[in-house]
């Protein structure tokens, strides 16, 4: 909508003319030149009311002059300039099949509000993209129908946020899937991804995901693969959910573009109902405990005096080294995730320049699915959260002791992984929140057990699909290290940093990889943190202490 409140250009078949009050009584009016039925108008007005309740007032009178001319008038004295005309115009000019009628407005989770607020302050953050390759014949119409079936079945894909200072979550009965299919040769894949990045993702507009496919010729026997890009916003869907939706899409495609049964239960509303019933006293007690007197080092890791404004690096650890790390972690009664956290704690400690025992601080991700809600592991929603991890690093202590401390601390936290980072920050004592965590460690546990039946069914149609891989979302943290397993069961580490002179993604990645591959060969019962530090090169520059 422009500054003079002229509605956006209407779609074919309908023209809108807005007058903000030049009439004798100064009442705003909107002339609709085109077809307009009462159901369409009521659906649009309901949507406007949900998006901006503070600016909403229903038209005082509606005049139907004929089938192609209708006038909506606001009452005299109404602040027509503040009425959300752009939203109403968009809804009235949208093709009938594309209208999205809101079922109801519900309160989002605290974490969703926090992600949305950060995304609005920093456009481009919290948008993730999955890519995978489809080998074999692909039917574009069947492809689109399959994604529409997914959107029809999963309520979370039809959710969007209202506008305003206190946004609610709008749940829609029907939303058209946002699917674009391009024949091979019509675009460059790298350029297509860059265009998608520049486009961003608006969490205020359903659906909650966008699909782009760059495919081969539309005939059987083609050998040109189709590249698929799935874009979504973490305030509405997490990575676990995206993998679930990809599987649903493949099932729908095999079924001719349909999914059996109705909407999934539990759904998004079931999770929200469960969440709003929880007692926050136990997690409040956990995070409000007094912090130890051990000095806390700066959380900003691995600094360099000069460096690029942004960085993104990736390393794949060989299958052999990955298997050795898994076996070594199991020997200590822990997991690869806890080993990575221990390595990260040691790197932060070394970067701080501390000489004696010191606490380090960083954030870790939690799936948000370790809650007693039946079917939660199959629910698409924005459940993943981040939790602050504080751990003491003592050079005289053993690696085994550090692993045990991290494992126990992680277990304590994951019992309350349904709380938000903002809530934890509010509950924590000042010494535990100043400064805030400067790095995020994410071990993506989105590798669901292989669905051999689905794979076999796809192969029966001559189709092979690769495992979806994330491109990496920008987060609110200066440095993010993400770990996951690829299709060949290799451990993949991806490090990225935001514009700041205090971080170096490639150095963080190289040092993490070095320790992860060395630990299974050199760490024994008596190996100390000091011994581990000797295996690292001298840091380029140490961070300051606080």
């Amino acid at each position: 909508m422009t500054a003079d409140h002229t509605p956006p250009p209407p779609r074919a078949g309908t023209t809108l003319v807005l007058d903000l009050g030049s009439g004798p009584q100064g009442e705003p009016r909107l002339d609709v030149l085109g077809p307009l039925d009462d159901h369409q108008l009521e659906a649009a007005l309901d949507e406007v009311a949900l998006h901006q309740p503070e600016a909403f007032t229903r038209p005082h009178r509606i005049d139907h002059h004929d089938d192609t001319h209708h006038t909506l008038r606001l009452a005299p004295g109404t602040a027509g300039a503040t009425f959300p005309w752009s939203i109403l115009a968009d809804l009235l000019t949208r093709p009938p099949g594309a209208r999205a009628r809101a079922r109801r407005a519900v309160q989002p989770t605290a974490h969703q509000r926090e992600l949305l607020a950060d995304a609005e302050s920093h456009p481009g953050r919290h948008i993730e993209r999955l890519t995978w390759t489809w080998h074999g014949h692909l039917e574009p119409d069947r492809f689109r129908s399959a994604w529409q079936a997914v959107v029809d079945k999963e309520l979370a894909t039809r959710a969007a946020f209202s506008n305003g200072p206190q946004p609610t979550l709008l749940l829609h009965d029907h939303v058209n899937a946002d699917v674009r299919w391009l024949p091979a040769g019509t675009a460059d894949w790298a350029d297509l991804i860059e265009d998608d990045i520049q486009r961003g993702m608006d969490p205020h507009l359903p659906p909650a995901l966008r699909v782009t496919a760059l495919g081969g010729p539309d005939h059987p026997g083609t050998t040109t693969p189709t590249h698929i890009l799935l874009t979504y916003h973490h305030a509405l869907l997490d990575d676990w959910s995206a993998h679930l939706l990809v599987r649903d899409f493949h099932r729908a495609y095999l079924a001719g573009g349909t999914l059996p049964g109705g909407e999934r239960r539990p759904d998004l509303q079931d999770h929200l109902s469960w969440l709003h019933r929880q007692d926050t006293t136990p997690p409040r007690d956990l995070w409000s405990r007094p912090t130890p007197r051990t000095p806390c080092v700066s959380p900003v890791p691995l600094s360099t005096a000069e460096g690029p404004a942004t960085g993104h690096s990736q390393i794949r650890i060989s299958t052999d080294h990955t298997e050795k790390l898994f076996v070594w972690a199991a020997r200590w009664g822990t997991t690869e995730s806890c080993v990575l956290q221990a390595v990260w704690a040691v790197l932060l400690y070394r970067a701080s320049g501390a000489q004696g025992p010191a606490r380090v601080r960083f954030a870790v991700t939690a799936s948000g699915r370790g809650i007693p809600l039946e079917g939660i592991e199959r629910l698409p929603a924005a459940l993943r959260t981040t939790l602050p991890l504080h751990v003491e690093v003592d050079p005289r202590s053993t690696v085994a002791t550090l692993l045990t401390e991290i494992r126990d601390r992680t277990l304590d936290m994951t019992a309350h992984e349904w709380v938000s980072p903002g809530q934890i920050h509010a509950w924590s004592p000042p010494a535990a929140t100043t400064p805030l965590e400067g790095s995020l460690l994410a071990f993506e546990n989105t590798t669901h057990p292989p669905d051999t039946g689905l794979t076999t069914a796809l192969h029966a149609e001559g189709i092979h699909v690769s495992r979806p891989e994330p491109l990496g979302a920008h987060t609110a943290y200066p440095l993010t290290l993400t770990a996951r397993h690829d299709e060949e069961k290799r451990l993949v580490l991806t490090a990225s940093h935001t514009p700041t002179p205090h971080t170096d993604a490639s150095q963080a990645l190289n040092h993490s990889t070095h320790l992860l591959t060395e630990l299974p060969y050199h760490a024994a019962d008596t190996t100390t943190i000091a011994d581990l530090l000797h295996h690292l090169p001298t840091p380029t520059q140490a961070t300051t202490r606080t």
Side-chain angles (χ1 to χ4, degrees):
M1 189 169 173
T2 59
D4 63 351
H5 301 281
T6 302
R11 293 180 172 87
T14 301
T15 300
L16 300 183
V17 179
L18 176 63
D19 186 335
L20 289 178
S22 60
Q25 298 182 343
E27 74 276 11
R29 56 179 284 176
L30 178 69
D31 285 294
V32 181
L33 306 180
L36 177 68
D37 61 74
D38 292 338
H39 177 78
Q40 177 189 7
L41 178 59
E42 286 300 314
L45 292 173
D46 287 346
E47 186 82 357
V48 172
L50 287 167
H51 271 284
Q52 290 191 339
E54 71 284 352
F56 179 70
T57 179
R58 283 186 177 272
H60 180 66
R61 189 173 78 248
I62 303 172
D63 296 328
H64 298 285
H65 306 289
D66 54 43
D67 291 343
T68 60
H69 185 193
H70 317 270
T71 301
L72 285 64
R73 302 177 190 272
L74 294 185
T78 301
T82 62
F83 181 84
W85 291 107
S86 62
I87 296 177
L88 180 61
D90 178 66
L91 294 168
L92 290 179
T93 56
R94 207 178 279 178
R99 289 199 301 271
R101 184 177 177 86
R103 171 190 298 176
R104 58 174 298 194
V106 297
Q107 293 301 315
T109 67
H111 194 209
Q112 285 181 297
R113 290 185 185 276
E114 293 161 16
L115 288 173
L116 181 64
D118 186 67
E120 291 180 341
S121 299
H122 304 86
R125 284 185 181 176
H126 310 297
I127 301 174
E128 182 58 279
R129 294 167 178 86
L130 288 183
T131 66
W132 69 101
T133 305
W134 176 292
H135 297 272
H137 178 54
L138 183 144
E139 301 174 23
D141 289 341
R142 187 175 169 190
F143 181 87
R144 296 186 184 95
S145 296
W147 278 113
Q148 184 63 57
V150 171
V151 172
D152 290 342
K153 187 178 182 66
E154 302 293 356
L155 181 58
T157 65
R158 305 194 304 276
F161 291 99
S162 67
N163 293 290
Q166 296 295 326
T168 57
L169 200 59
L170 306 179
L171 308 179
H172 299 84
D173 282 334
H174 176 75
V175 175
N176 276 13
D178 188 350
V179 180
R180 182 171 60 144
W181 184 85
L182 302 173
T186 59
D188 179 78
W189 180 240
D191 291 341
L192 190 149
I193 292 177
E194 182 59 32
D195 288 344
D196 190 85
I197 293 173
Q198 295 301 319
R199 181 181 176 186
M201 188 78 181
D202 189 351
H204 296 91
L205 297 175
L209 53 82
R210 180 170 67 236
V211 184
T212 307
L214 181 62
D218 183 24
H219 60 77
T222 177
T223 58
T224 305
T226 299
H227 300 284
I228 304 175
L229 175 67
L230 175 66
T231 307
Y232 54 97
H233 201 289
H234 277 156
L236 293 169
L237 294 169
D238 60 18
D239 298 337
W240 182 291
S241 302
H243 284 261
L244 291 175
L245 296 174
V246 170
R247 283 196 173 188
D248 280 348
F249 155 70
H250 289 148
R251 294 189 184 97
Y253 187 88
L254 289 172
T258 62
L259 280 173
E263 293 186 356
R264 180 183 303 281
R265 298 299 299 270
D267 64 9
L268 181 62
Q269 294 182 91
D270 295 317
H271 172 255
L272 291 173
S273 297
W274 179 90
L275 186 65
H276 295 320
R277 294 195 304 267
Q278 300 313 299
D279 180 9
T280 59
T281 302
R284 184 191 299 268
D285 292 343
L286 174 65
W287 273 288
S288 62
R289 294 173 184 170
T291 57
R293 294 184 177 274
T294 309
C296 186
V297 299
S298 169
V300 180
L302 305 175
S303 300
T304 56
E306 296 286 340
T310 58
H312 183 89
S313 305
Q314 187 175 93
I315 291 180
R316 295 177 189 264
I317 298 177
S318 70
T319 303
D320 182 58
H321 280 114
T322 300
E323 290 177 352
K324 281 183 168 56
L325 179 64
F326 176 82
V327 172
W328 183 83
R331 173 192 169 193
W332 299 102
T334 188
T335 63
E336 296 165 292
S337 176
C338 283
V339 174
L340 181 59
Q341 291 169 11
V343 164
W344 197 245
V346 170
L347 291 176
L348 294 181
Y349 175 86
R350 194 280 301 269
S352 73
Q355 299 299 314
R359 285 181 298 116
V360 297
R361 208 168 31 236
F362 54 96
V364 296
T365 57
S367 71
R369 297 174 188 271
I371 62 174
L373 179 62
E374 185 177 358
I376 191 66
E377 70 280 357
R378 302 187 304 275
L379 173 63
L383 301 184
R384 193 184 80 163
T385 188
T386 59
L387 305 173
L389 180 62
H390 299 198
V391 59
E392 180 176 304
V393 179
D394 185 346
R396 298 166 299 181
S397 181
T398 65
V399 173
T401 300
L402 179 61
L403 286 172
T404 300
E405 181 183 350
I406 289 178
R407 181 196 63 194
D408 294 344
R409 177 66 177 172
T410 301
L411 289 174
D412 288 341
M413 293 193 308
T414 53
H416 310 293
E417 60 185 51
W418 46 270
V419 300
S420 76
Q423 290 174 310
I424 296 173
H425 181 81
W427 297 333
S428 301
T433 58
T434 306
L436 292 174
E437 292 74 21
S439 60
L440 172 64
L441 192 60
F443 202 106
E444 298 295 350
N445 187 22
T446 54
T447 307
H448 304 282
D451 189 332
T452 54
L454 180 60
T455 302
T456 301
L458 287 169
H459 287 173
E461 291 206 12
I463 298 168
H464 171 75
V465 293
S466 64
R467 177 177 295 175
E469 295 199 359
L471 295 183
H474 290 295
T475 71
Y477 297 86
L479 179 60
T480 300
L481 181 67
T482 303
R484 60 181 175 84
H485 291 96
D486 67 7
E487 199 165 14
E488 298 178 16
K489 299 182 179 180
R490 296 175 297 183
L491 187 62
V492 182
L493 299 180
T494 304
S496 58
H497 70 249
T498 53
T500 168
H502 300 296
T503 55
D504 179 5
S506 60
Q507 183 170 302
L509 185 65
N510 289 332
H511 290 173
S512 300
T513 304
H514 179 79
L515 286 182
L516 289 173
T517 54
E518 290 291 323
L519 277 172
Y521 296 96
H522 299 290
D525 294 355
T526 58
T527 302
T528 65
I529 302 299
D531 296 331
L532 199 60
L533 291 169
H534 288 315
H535 286 281
L536 285 171
T538 302
T540 307
Q541 179 182 352
T543 60
T544 58
R545 289 175 58 116
T546 58

